[in-house]
Amino acid sequence: TNLSNSWGLVQMVDRTTAYAKLVLSGKRICGRSERLAAQRHLDDMANKKSEWIFDVEEAERHIEIANTLTIGEGQAQALTTRGFQNFVIGSLFGWRKKRSDIRRFREAYVQIGRQNGKSFLAGELANDFATFGGYQYGRIFCTATKQDQANIVWDEVSKFIQSDSDLAELYNIRTHDRTITSKVTGTVIKAIGRDTKSADGFRTILAIIDEYHAHPTNQMYKLMLDGQDMVKNALTIAITTAGFNLKSPCYEHYQFCKKVLEGVVEKDSLFVYIAEMDKEDDDWGKENWAKANPLKLFEPDDITLNDEKLAVYASKAIEAKEKQGEELVNFQTKSLNKWVTYTGGSLIDLAKWKRGGTHTQIKDMVTREAFLGIDLSSGGDLTSIALLFPLMDDNVYIWSHSYMPELRLAEHIKTDKAPYGVWAKQGLLTLTSGMYGIKTDYKHIIADLANIINEHNIRIIGCGYDAHNAAAFLGDLDDVIDCDITEVKQSARSLNDPTNDFALSVEAGQVSYDKDNALMTWSVINAIKSAPNSFGEIKIDKMTQTERIDPVDAIIDAWKVWLISKQSNRPSGEEALDIWLKSLEGGE
């Protein structure tokens, strides 16, 4: 009754979209990731050609279900959802296929700071799926690395139920084995820890991966997701704060989700909400803390900051800044929602990289000189070539193309989570059929390179290559280009200068490229700085084996020989002194 009465009052409201507009209005303090999530929602609503539509009525119905719950902890009180919670709940339930009740999102990733209602969100979804979703005799698993952690989400559901006498009539609760059963649908809500055997073989309608950052492998996540293949409107949701392990499956998934928000990778079935500070933000700036704490540091109007809670955070910050070490890392990860374990960080700031995107294509580089960089794959992975065209005032234009054996396409789409098929259709990737379509076809790549050079009358004046797997390549390459071919050693000592110079040139706005080359941009996003050697020298690296950086490797190889050529054209110290003295004589 409460639900139907309140529903009549809110059916014309769209709280999901209202929050997205608030985020983009600038009235609310938000980070880039949250703004991108809001923009994605509005852009998708405006896309009339999309197969998906946003059902406001359905979104509001489920938001209102959340608002019928009671917070039982402390003094019991009726719950009122806040803006970001409306955005998450409304998005998950409101997006559906046109002329169908099939929901769009089958995966969700939510990353927010500690004590911002993660457990509430998971508990609310469990209640909704169990009783109000209509699915009969389903299973809902609350999972974590430890049983105690899994029990936290289960306890949240239990508290909601027991705090509301009307709701309590709809469930049977057994605390001894952490099982809640809906009397309406027969759906069971159960908490399970690290033991995946207890979950193997079960299909779920909802799987909650709590504190995903603590999972050492992606075994539980994949098990839950794969078990939902044949279940209509099922959802696997990871709800977490940032963590310490940048080699973890959660960090890898976080990086992938960021690419979805940036529009570099398309995955319509994945919902992403990340509340975090921006890279350039000062950790000690009070307003910046609010970006990672969408519930905790805001007043109910979702705009005004709560001064009392900010003061508590300030006290924590002072202690963390003074003690450093573990205290600092804990404050940054849990309170500021930052992944802080050292990896060297991203090589290129994405916003600065995007500034260099233009409509210029290789056909606009006709008759120019260029430096060639080649990164050869081992076996049947990605192979990339890059052409660096020097322009005026040390500006450069970069062109890149990649190759992959055609029979390895499906495998790499799955392992790399990258749309190689789309990129092949866009002409950014060539699928080769030689070597039985399984191994890298070097002869095809050489022939293609020769065609590119001849078609555009490009003069290659320098070439840098990674010696790995190059033996079968170099002989044929000599027949195509008439210049020195330089082996670029893949060590930090060899690559430090070109890597840093490339990054600084991007930051200075001196690098341009075809903005439609999504494959190259994807590679740039994947590239991180390696940990420095004993001399403080770095090169590029990647977080995981499936995060390809081959196009950037090729660019760095070309950049290396370009730097060498510039240095060889500079006068020696004695020559420079002679030129300077002669200029003084001329002045007299």
Side-chain angles (χ1 to χ4, degrees):
T1 304
N2 290 340
L3 178 60
S4 60
N5 288 343
S6 56
W7 172 236
L9 297 175
V10 299
Q11 58 182 340
M12 300 305 293
V13 178
D14 180 0
R15 283 172 277 191
T16 312
T17 306
Y19 183 75
K21 290 179 177 178
L22 173 63
V23 165
L24 296 174
S25 71
K27 296 178 181 178
R28 176 181 167 87
I29 298 173
C30 298
R32 176 177 173 82
S33 293
E34 188 170 8
R35 290 195 300 273
L36 288 172
Q39 191 64 61
R40 183 190 187 199
H41 175 79
L42 295 179
D43 287 346
D44 289 349
M45 287 185 71
N47 183 6
K48 303 303 181 185
K49 295 181 180 179
S50 172
E51 64 177 313
W52 309 104
I53 62 169
F54 184 64
D55 187 333
V56 176
E57 186 172 331
E58 187 67 4
E60 282 296 313
R61 186 173 78 87
H62 288 278
I63 290 172
E64 200 55 28
I65 288 172
N67 280 276
T68 63
L69 299 174
T70 299
I71 299 175
E73 190 170 337
Q75 186 175 353
Q77 57 182 310
L79 184 142
T80 301
T81 53
R82 299 279 281 275
F84 88 96
Q85 294 166 332
N86 293 334
F87 181 72
V88 173
I89 296 167
S91 295
L92 292 177
F93 289 104
W95 281 101
R96 62 172 174 81
K97 186 171 283 190
K98 289 179 179 176
R99 295 176 293 278
S100 170
D101 62 351
I102 296 176
R103 288 200 289 266
R104 169 182 171 179
F105 294 119
R106 295 185 66 88
E107 288 182 80
Y109 181 82
V110 176
Q111 183 180 309
I112 49 181
R114 178 189 284 168
Q115 295 181 352
N116 278 275
K118 293 189 305 297
S119 297
F120 151 71
L121 190 57
E124 188 284 324
L125 290 174
N127 169 62
D128 198 327
F129 270 79
T131 297
F132 300 97
Y135 194 96
Q136 300 294 310
Y137 302 106
R139 288 184 178 86
I140 295 172
F141 285 157
C142 308
T143 75
T145 56
K146 297 180 180 179
Q147 187 65 44
D148 286 347
Q149 183 63 41
N151 291 345
I152 292 175
V153 178
W154 187 93
D155 288 340
E156 201 70 28
V157 183
S158 178
K159 282 190 292 185
F160 280 145
I161 293 170
Q162 295 182 71
S163 299
D164 187 323
S165 57
D166 290 336
L167 197 61
E169 293 180 7
L170 305 180
Y171 291 96
N172 282 324
I173 300 175
R174 293 204 314 249
T175 305
H176 71 278
D177 63 353
R178 300 284 175 172
T179 301
I180 299 172
T181 305
S182 170
K183 296 178 182 178
V184 178
T185 64
T187 293
V188 173
I189 305 170
K190 192 162 181 63
I192 59 172
R194 198 169 182 173
D195 180 17
T196 55
K197 291 180 182 178
S198 62
D200 197 7
F202 284 114
R203 292 180 298 181
T204 62
I205 56 173
L206 174 66
I208 301 162
I209 316 296
D210 192 38
E211 295 295 10
Y212 190 28
H213 72 87
H215 288 239
T217 71
N218 67 351
Q219 185 180 9
M220 182 67 81
Y221 188 96
K222 295 298 292 182
L223 184 64
M224 294 293 104
L225 187 63
D226 291 346
Q228 295 178 340
D229 281 349
M230 306 304 292
V231 182
K232 181 181 177 182
N233 289 337
L235 176 69
T236 295
I237 180 169
I239 306 179
T240 188
T241 58
F244 309 106
N245 182 10
L246 275 72
K247 296 292 184 181
S248 68
C250 183
Y251 185 76
E252 181 181 357
H253 192 51
Y254 161 78
Q255 294 281 70
F256 178 75
C257 289
K258 295 264 284 187
K259 293 171 190 174
V260 172
L261 288 180
E262 291 286 355
V264 177
V265 175
E266 291 185 17
K267 188 169 184 179
D268 281 346
S269 61
L270 172 64
F271 171 78
V272 181
Y273 176 84
I274 300 173
E276 63 179 356
M277 292 165 53
D278 296 318
K279 184 184 298 184
E280 66 275 12
D281 284 342
D282 178 10
D283 283 357
W284 315 113
K286 292 183 180 181
E287 289 194 348
N288 294 333
W289 302 338
K291 296 180 180 181
N293 295 276
L295 172 70
K296 193 173 182 181
L297 296 185
F298 284 95
E299 297 288 358
D301 65 2
D302 287 318
I303 297 174
T304 308
L305 296 181
N306 185 306
D307 290 335
E308 185 177 336
K309 291 181 179 178
L310 277 174
V312 174
Y313 256 56
S315 177
K316 285 185 179 181
I318 291 169
E319 187 171 357
K321 193 174 184 179
E322 181 65 28
K323 291 183 176 179
Q324 295 288 304
E326 185 178 344
E327 196 78 26
L328 174 60
V329 172
N330 190 65
F331 176 73
Q332 290 175 316
T333 53
K334 302 309 173 190
S335 297
L336 303 187
N337 199 26
K338 291 181 64 174
W339 294 87
V340 297
T341 300
Y342 181 77
T343 65
S346 299
L347 176 68
I348 302 293
D349 181 87
L350 184 58
K352 292 183 173 64
W353 171 256
K354 285 191 170 184
R355 285 189 324 194
T358 69
H359 292 293
T360 304
Q361 299 178 343
I362 193 170
K363 65 183 180 181
D364 301 308
M365 297 290 115
V366 170
T367 72
R368 285 186 174 274
E369 295 180 340
F371 292 88
L372 171 65
I374 304 171
D375 181 74
L376 301 175
S377 68
S378 57
D381 294 336
L382 202 64
T383 289
S384 298
I385 59 175
L387 291 175
L388 184 157
F389 295 90
L391 306 176
M392 297 290 291
D393 300 324
D394 272 352
N395 290 325
V396 298
Y397 173 79
I398 294 172
W399 175 86
S400 171
H401 193 78
S402 297
Y403 302 84
M404 180 183 290
E406 61 181 0
L407 295 185
R408 304 293 295 277
L409 177 65
E411 168 196 341
H412 284 299
I413 288 175
K414 184 176 181 180
T415 60
D416 300 1
K417 298 178 181 177
Y420 291 122
V422 173
W423 290 337
K425 290 179 182 178
Q426 293 173 344
L428 305 175
L429 172 70
T430 296
L431 301 176
T432 60
S433 56
M435 302 300 290
Y436 305 102
I438 296 175
K439 295 180 66 178
T440 303
D441 187 353
Y442 296 124
K443 290 191 179 295
H444 184 110
I445 297 171
I446 286 288
D448 198 35
L449 177 61
N451 288 335
I452 292 166
I453 292 171
N454 294 330
E455 180 183 351
H456 301 97
N457 196 20
I458 296 168
R459 181 178 169 228
I460 305 297
I461 56 175
C463 173
Y465 71 95
D466 174 0
H468 188 61
N469 300 312
F473 193 86
L474 293 178
D476 293 331
L477 185 61
D478 260 331
D479 298 332
V480 174
I481 59 176
D482 183 23
C483 67
D484 290 337
I485 301 176
T486 304
E487 176 187 341
V488 178
K489 295 185 181 298
Q490 302 299 296
S491 65
R493 174 159 292 187
S494 169
L495 296 176
N496 181 71
D497 288 347
T499 300
N500 282 322
D501 196 62
F502 170 52
L504 289 172
S505 296
V506 171
E507 187 172 351
Q510 293 177 301
V511 177
S512 60
Y513 63 94
D514 181 358
K515 65 186 299 183
D516 293 327
N517 193 334
L519 173 52
M520 179 164 59
T521 294
W522 175 70
S523 173
V524 167
I525 293 172
N526 288 337
I528 63 173
K529 297 176 185 177
S530 69
N533 63 16
S534 57
F535 298 98
E537 298 162 331
I538 58 100
K539 60 178 182 175
I540 64 168
D541 201 355
K542 55 189 176 183
M543 285 303 304
T544 68
Q545 289 301 310
T546 57
E547 289 192 332
R548 306 292 175 187
I549 56 173
D550 306 81
V552 182
D553 278 325
I555 292 170
I556 297 296
D557 290 339
W559 208 282
K560 170 85 174 182
V561 293
W562 180 48
L563 284 184
I564 292 172
S565 75
K566 290 200 295 182
Q567 291 165 356
S568 64
N569 290 330
R570 290 172 183 166
S572 66
E574 290 185 2
E575 290 171 334
L577 178 61
D578 189 48
I579 293 170
W580 181 66
L581 290 173
K582 285 182 178 179
S583 70
L584 291 179
E585 292 173 1
E588 293 175 355

